[in-house]
């Protein structure tokens, strides 16, 4: 009998192996991409916040945390609080000394003319960092433990964070509110400021919105030749916030906040129908009465800094919004 020599897999078996190896390769590539995305996301999460503090350099012995909110003093300096944590938590001596120095070797001048650090008391782990004027480069705030001399530093950069927002327009505040006529458009200038007169260009991401405050009673009304008939069982109390889009809108563009008043609260109804050859008018969800004080709040916020202003808006039907004459034409 003639013997057969085995020369390898058949064509169909080879194809199956090629497909199998291909699927394994795709799976491995997918896992690598997934791990890369997860790693990049975690790196993104760990980046320091774009604020007065650019970076903190800590050690296993001491670490620093700084507040994001700032206070402005009468001398136009800006301050934030900083806290040193001495490790471990059971350490008996937690006294630290604070200092500031230039972070750039080429920097010149007295650093204390720009930034100072003031501890709450001698050796306190709580201190106040005060920026007195704009600076270039970096400045280090350093906390040093009195025991063993361990250090942690906070790297300061000046990026021109706004500390206030000015709102101005043809209408001024009256009794804490802006009183606007109905059916009009009002434009307000929005300006970010800080005591240094230097707001960074990156602080230009604005958004605005409207909130309704208070509640009203809506009901069903039939009006026949001036005689009104309310159906009390149809009364419903609703919030002004749920109805706000019927009365007011706000938008922002190019440094301008535009507030548009649409119609009075008292004129609201959701639907109208006529009957009896027009003699009777039926109103659904018709305004009937106020439950409490009603007004609107327009919020304007710069999202990068978190700086915001709330404008209290009240409608005033005594404000002149237009004029008509009884005749469009006249002849002699």
């Amino acid at each position: 009998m003639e013997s057969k020599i085995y020369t390898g897999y058949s064509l169909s078996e080879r194809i199956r192996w090629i497909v199998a190896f291909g699927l394994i390769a795709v799976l491995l590539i997918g896992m690598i991409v997934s791990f890369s995305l997860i790693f990049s996301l975690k790196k993104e999460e760990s980046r320091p916040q774009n604020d007065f503090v650019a970076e903190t350099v800590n050690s296993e012995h001491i670490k620093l945390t700084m507040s994001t909110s700032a206070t402005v003093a009468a001398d136009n300096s800006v301050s934030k609080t900083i806290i040193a944590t001495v490790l471990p938590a059971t350490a008996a001596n937690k006294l630290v000394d604070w200092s500031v120095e230039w972070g750039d070797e080429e920097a010149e001048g007295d650093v204390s003319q720009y930034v100072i650090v003031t501890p709450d008391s001698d050796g306190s782990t709580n201190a106040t960092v005060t920026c007195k004027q704009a600076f270039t480069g970096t400045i280090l705030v350093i906390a040093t433990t009195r025991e063993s001399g361990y250090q942690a530093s906070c790297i300061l950069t000046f990026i021109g964070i706004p500390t206030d927002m000015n709102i101005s327009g043809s209408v001024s505040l009256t009794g804490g509110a802006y009183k606007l006529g109905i059916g009009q458009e009002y434009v307000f200038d929005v300006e970010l400021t800080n005591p240094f007169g230097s707001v960074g260009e990156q602080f230009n991401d604005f958004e605005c919105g409207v909130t309704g405050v208070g509640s009203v009673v809506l009901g069903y009304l039939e009006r026949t030749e001036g005689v009104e008939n309310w159906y009390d069982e149809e009364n419903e109390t609703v919030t002004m916030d749920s109805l706000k889009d019927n009365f007011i809108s706000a938008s922002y563009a190019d440094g301008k906040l535009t507030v548009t008043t649409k119609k009075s609260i008292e004129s609201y109804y959701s639907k109208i129908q006529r009957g009896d050859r027009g003699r009777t008018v039926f109103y659904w969800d018709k305004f009937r009465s106020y439950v409490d004080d009603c007004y609107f709040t327009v919020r304007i916020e710069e999202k990068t800094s978190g700086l915001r202003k709330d404008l209290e808006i009240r409608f005033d039907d005594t404000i002149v919004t237009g004029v008509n004459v009884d005749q469009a034409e006249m002849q002699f």
Side-chain angles (χ1 to χ4, degrees):
M1 172 181 276
E2 184 179 354
S3 62
K4 292 184 178 180
I5 299 175
Y6 179 71
T7 58
Y9 297 107
S10 66
L11 178 59
S12 61
E13 290 175 326
R14 287 200 298 271
I15 291 174
R16 284 197 297 270
W17 276 107
I18 291 171
V19 171
F21 280 120
L23 291 174
I24 292 172
V26 171
L27 179 61
L28 289 173
I29 292 172
M31 293 175 64
I32 292 171
V33 172
S34 298
F35 281 122
S36 299
L37 287 173
I38 293 171
F39 180 73
S40 65
L41 286 173
K42 289 196 175 292
K43 284 187 65 179
E44 184 69 24
E45 291 172 357
S46 65
R47 289 178 181 174
Q49 186 178 5
N50 184 18
D51 205 343
F52 185 82
V53 178
E55 184 180 358
T56 54
V57 182
N58 299 314
S59 71
E60 60 181 318
H61 307 287
I62 182 172
K63 65 179 182 178
L64 299 178
T65 54
M66 176 173 268
S67 67
T68 57
S69 59
T71 58
V72 180
D75 61 356
N76 285 334
S77 63
V78 178
S79 297
K80 295 185 177 183
T81 58
I82 190 168
I83 300 174
T85 302
V86 179
L87 303 173
T90 54
N93 185 349
K94 295 184 178 180
L95 299 179
V96 299
D97 290 314
W98 296 91
S99 60
V100 292
E101 62 183 47
W102 286 108
D104 305 300
E105 293 182 359
E106 64 274 13
E108 298 180 357
D110 184 358
V111 68
S112 65
Q113 295 298 311
Y114 300 91
V115 171
I116 60 173
V117 58
T118 307
D120 288 1
S121 59
D122 181 49
S124 175
T125 54
N126 292 5
T128 300
V129 178
T130 301
C131 180
K132 302 165 77 174
Q133 59 179 310
F135 61 89
T136 57
T138 60
I139 294 176
L140 301 181
V141 175
I142 302 171
T144 305
T145 62
R146 289 188 179 177
E147 182 179 308
S148 303
Y150 294 116
Q151 289 187 334
S153 60
C154 180
I155 304 173
L156 308 184
T157 56
F158 184 87
I159 60 174
I161 298 174
T163 57
D164 198 6
M165 183 186 300
N166 292 333
I167 307 292
S168 60
S170 59
V171 180
S172 301
L173 277 172
T174 303
Y178 292 92
K179 296 183 179 181
L180 307 184
I182 299 167
Q184 298 293 301
E185 182 177 278
Y186 295 86
V187 179
F188 299 88
D189 292 318
V190 180
E191 180 188 18
L192 298 177
T193 64
N194 62 27
F196 312 107
S198 177
V199 174
E201 294 181 354
Q202 67 268 46
F203 301 104
N204 192 33
D205 186 9
F206 286 88
E207 68 175 10
C208 63
V210 179
T211 302
V213 180
S215 301
V216 295
V217 174
L218 304 181
Y220 175 74
L221 169 67
E222 292 182 3
R223 179 181 290 143
T224 303
E225 296 181 346
V227 178
E228 295 185 347
N229 182 28
W230 290 92
Y231 289 76
D232 294 340
E233 64 274 12
E234 298 293 331
N235 286 351
E236 179 184 9
T237 299
V238 299
T239 65
M240 285 302 301
D241 196 55
S242 66
L243 301 174
K244 62 187 178 185
D245 292 340
N246 296 280
F247 308 118
I248 188 171
S249 65
S251 61
Y252 174 88
D254 301 326
K256 307 287 186 182
L257 172 66
T258 301
V259 178
T260 302
T261 60
K262 301 177 181 180
K263 62 181 180 181
S264 67
I265 300 171
E266 293 86 348
S267 66
Y268 176 77
Y269 55 83
S270 65
K271 188 172 67 172
I272 185 174
Q273 184 179 350
R274 296 183 180 275
D276 286 341
R277 299 180 180 179
R279 292 190 314 115
T280 302
V281 184
F282 309 95
Y283 297 91
W284 281 265
D285 300 322
K286 177 79 173 70
F287 170 85
R288 188 167 187 180
S289 63
Y290 288 101
V291 175
D292 47 22
D293 189 25
C294 292
Y295 58 93
F296 303 96
T297 299
V298 173
R299 184 197 74 254
I300 176 74
E301 178 178 3
E302 199 289 309
K303 294 192 291 183
T304 303
S305 63
L307 192 63
R308 61 179 286 178
K309 276 290 182 73
D310 291 331
L311 285 64
E312 182 178 317
I313 305 295
R314 293 181 178 271
F315 290 175
D316 187 346
D317 59 8
T318 66
I319 295 176
V320 175
T321 59
V323 63
N324 292 312
V325 294
D326 62 347
Q327 296 183 55
E329 295 181 8
M330 184 177 291
Q331 296 178 341
F332 287 94

